[in-house]
Amino acid sequence: MPYRPFPLPHRETAEKRRGRRAIAGVGVLLASVTALSSLGTLGAAPAAAATSSGRGDVPAGSLAPVQPPGKARLTAAVLDMDSTGREPTVYGDDTPYDTASIVKVDILAAVLLQAQDAGRPLTAQERAQAEAMIQRSDNASANALWRRIGQGPGLEAANKRLGLTSTKGGPGPRWGLTRTTASDQIRLLRAVFGTSPASHAGSTTLNEASRSYIRRLMTRIVADQAWGVSAAADSGWALKNGWLQRNTTGLWDVNSVGQVMVGGHRYLVAVLSDGDTSMKDGISLVERAARTAVSSASSR
């Protein structure tokens, strides 16, 4: 079944359109320090132009990375699935971040690959756990499926098949401390949202039934978790968010990954951040970064 993202409510769409108009033509990520200072997480000025993973310098007039003060960091990556480009544009340093709950998409991909290898569908229990894990971000279900795939080593084995190169599974039972990069998250999203021919059981890739299943769950996120990259969409989205407050610092990891529809184009978007002073500030920063990155990509 082809991917058909659920439409956004009219109120949300209007807000997003206003947001895009406000940043239309802007050539730097979160271009005005004055406009952005309301987030409470930015320094005195945006950093110099970013580099694009695999593409050298970002062209003049494109986005530059946000560099919040203190220990806060943010990296955004975007790929237009309906253009000829094959590599995402990455804004900020493409270095590893803790995944928090965005790893749940990766866990489900690994579960589905293992089921394909065995030539079987998911069991009723696995499906119930998968749906709770993605739609409600249920941690008990993630714990069970993490054990099923063989924890970190099992995740890494699946990721090798899916083309990820910079993701390290969390230690022992701690799936939320998996480390990943924005570009690797785009690779995972391409494995889910790509349109390559369906593969057979035992292939290195997810088959169409598996991809469709993940996509469907990512469009049915519960309402109070439907934030993040969806802020960039004008007609539909599919996403998974992650958030984690670190015990040692009290600071937050806030991440969002998914596909958004803008102007009839499909964009894969990954925004990763850490060192946020609060979850609210992290969400605001991630959403504005997603809007601006997609706006820049759509204007090219």
Side-chain angles (χ1 to χ4, degrees):
M1 178 181 296
Y3 167 64
R4 297 232 191 323
F6 290 174
L8 296 174
H10 293 300
R11 177 182 64 81
E12 292 184 335
T13 300
E15 290 174 354
K16 292 173 178 57
R17 287 173 178 164
R18 286 196 297 270
R20 285 197 308 280
R21 286 198 298 269
I23 60 173
V26 176
V28 294
L29 181 56
L30 310 180
S32 167
V33 172
T34 301
L36 296 176
S37 62
S38 61
L39 292 178
T41 55
L42 297 182
T51 58
S52 171
S53 176
R55 295 176 59 183
D57 290 340
V58 173
S62 63
L63 305 180
V66 173
Q67 187 59 54
K71 296 182 179 180
R73 301 186 302 150
L74 181 141
T75 303
V78 61
L79 176 66
D80 184 347
M81 291 289 280
D82 298 313
S83 74
T84 57
R86 305 300 297 170
E87 294 294 330
T89 301
V90 180
Y91 305 105
D93 294 331
D94 197 27
T95 54
Y97 291 77
D98 297 328
T99 57
S101 285
I102 62 169
V103 76
K104 291 170 181 174
V105 176
D106 206 357
I107 292 171
L108 180 53
V111 169
L112 289 163
L113 275 178
Q114 291 182 0
Q116 286 177 202
D117 291 346
R120 65 170 181 83
L122 296 187
T123 66
Q125 182 182 50
E126 287 170 336
R127 292 182 72 87
Q129 290 168 337
E131 289 161 17
M133 178 177 71
I134 300 299
Q135 296 174 311
R136 296 190 285 106
S137 206
D138 181 69
N139 289 339
S141 296
N143 291 341
L145 294 177
W146 179 250
R147 291 191 297 269
R148 182 172 293 277
I149 66 171
Q151 300 185 334
L155 187 80
E156 291 168 21
N159 284 344
K160 183 176 181 180
R161 295 167 60 177
L162 296 172
L164 280 68
T165 60
S166 303
T167 298
K168 175 71 174 175
R174 289 181 259 183
W175 44 261
L177 297 185
T178 296
R179 302 279 284 172
T180 194
T181 62
S183 59
D184 240 18
Q185 287 302 296
I186 296 294
R187 294 182 183 102
L188 176 61
L189 292 170
R190 285 185 67 171
V192 172
F193 291 94
T195 56
S196 60
S199 60
H200 60 278
S203 168
T204 60
T205 61
L206 293 165
N207 62 31
E208 177 55 30
S210 295
R211 295 197 302 263
S212 179
Y213 182 61
I214 300 174
R215 294 193 298 257
R216 185 167 69 252
L217 296 186
M218 292 177 69
T219 64
R220 297 178 178 177
I221 302 300
V222 295
D224 64 354
Q225 295 180 21
W227 47 264
V229 297
S230 57
D234 65 10
S235 59
W237 50 261
L239 63 75
K240 184 70 192 78
N241 297 321
W243 59 98
L244 173 67
Q245 186 176 28
R246 300 311 303 268
N247 293 334
T248 54
T249 64
L251 300 175
W252 288 79
D253 302 335
V254 181
N255 306 319
S256 185
V257 299
Q259 177 177 269
V260 299
M261 297 289 291
V262 179
H265 277 231
R266 300 171 300 134
Y267 295 90
L268 303 182
V269 188
V271 185
L272 309 180
S273 76
D274 63 19
D276 300 301
T277 56
S278 69
M279 183 175 175
K280 180 180 178 181
D281 282 349
I283 290 173
S284 295
L285 186 63
V286 164
E287 289 190 334
R288 195 167 299 193
R291 284 194 299 266
T292 311
V294 172
S295 178
S296 176
S298 64
S299 67
R300 291 181 183 175

